[in-house]
Structures are given as C-alpha cells and as structure tokens.
Amino acid sequence: MKSLYTFLFCLAALFATAQVVNDEPCDALPISCGMQINSTTAFAEPDTLPFCGTGNGIGGGVWYSITPEDDTKVILSLCGTDDYDSRIRVFQGDCDSLVCVTGEDDDFVNCISDDPEGEFVPMANETYYILIHGCDD
C-alpha cells in the first residue's frame, strides 16, 4: 500500500508543477492565418491587464502572436470549442508594453453561445498578441 500512496503523491506533484509554455506575452506561440489550434488554459496563470474590449476574469490565459503579411481582416473564433466561458483579447506593441486592439467575450450572434469570436484589421507585418483566457476557473 505504501507504493500506491507514493505514486499518488508523485502524480499530484507532477500536476501541481505543470508549466504552460505560452503563459506570458513575451512567450507567445506564433500562429498564422488559417491555423486551427487545439490547446488548453489549464495550469495557466490569470493575466491582469487594462480593460480591452472585455475584463480580466479569473481564469488562466495563454498567449499567441500573429504577424499578418497584409491588412486582410483577421477573425479569431472559439465558437463551439470550449466548455466554459472564455474571452479573446488582442494587443499590439512590444510584448512588455501592450496596447489594446480589441477584445471579445460573448458572441451570441456568430457563435450562438457564450464563446467569443472577434475580428480586427491588422497593419501588414505588425505583430499582434492574442490572449485567450477564461472568465472563471
């Protein structure tokens, strides 16, 4: 029985120390238009930023970056992809001093749910930082 408890303790310690690679803006994972990403915000830390179309929430967030080659509209959608209330926020500037571009919380028109879908028209070759996070944990 001792080995069972040791295993459970080690397993719990493994989950408690899980790290999220893209938990900070400067560690954002690069994406490009047309990509579909399967990811999670589990183990991510909540982000505290100024209001950007929507507030912070208390759920953890993960970061992505995109640098479009032209000024064609970018659509970011989580329609039908998650089982809890999530948000999308987009920023530009240096990853250490971000400036709000747009944010979306609930899109009951396009998603017909509390999943967000947002869009923005980028400046060509400018890097944008995308925060995907939950409203709750």
Side-chain angles (χ1 to χ4, degrees):
M1 199 57 120
K2 183 176 180 182
S3 62
L4 177 61
Y5 291 127
T6 302
F7 172 74
L8 292 176
F9 175 74
C10 292
L11 187 59
L14 174 66
F15 284 117
T17 60
Q19 296 277 327
V20 177
V21 176
N22 56 334
D23 200 21
E24 298 293 331
C26 292
D27 296 324
L29 296 177
I31 61 172
S32 58
C33 290
M35 286 182 74
Q36 182 175 354
I37 300 162
N38 294 314
S39 186
T40 180
T41 59
F43 304 111
E45 293 294 322
D47 295 272
T48 304
L49 297 165
F51 184 85
C52 183
T54 184
N56 287 312
I58 60 172
V62 291
W63 289 88
Y64 298 92
S65 65
I66 188 168
T67 308
E69 295 177 0
D70 56 37
D71 59 357
T72 302
K73 178 172 40 177
V74 173
I75 299 172
L76 304 166
S77 179
L78 295 179
C79 292
T81 62
D82 62 358
D83 59 357
Y84 75 102
D85 196 5
S86 56
R87 297 174 178 176
I88 298 173
R89 293 196 277 175
V90 179
F91 300 87
Q92 68 183 65
D94 185 69
C95 66
D96 287 323
S97 58
L98 299 171
V99 176
C100 174
V101 174
T102 189
E104 180 65 47
D105 184 359
D106 300 327
D107 188 339
F108 291 101
V109 175
N110 295 313
C111 289
I112 312 171
S113 70
D114 65 359
D115 296 334
E117 179 174 286
E119 61 184 53
F120 68 100
V121 178
M123 293 183 2
N125 301 309
E126 182 80 21
T127 298
Y128 293 84
Y129 295 90
I130 302 160
L131 173 61
I132 307 293
H133 65 99
C135 294
D136 51 345
D137 44 327

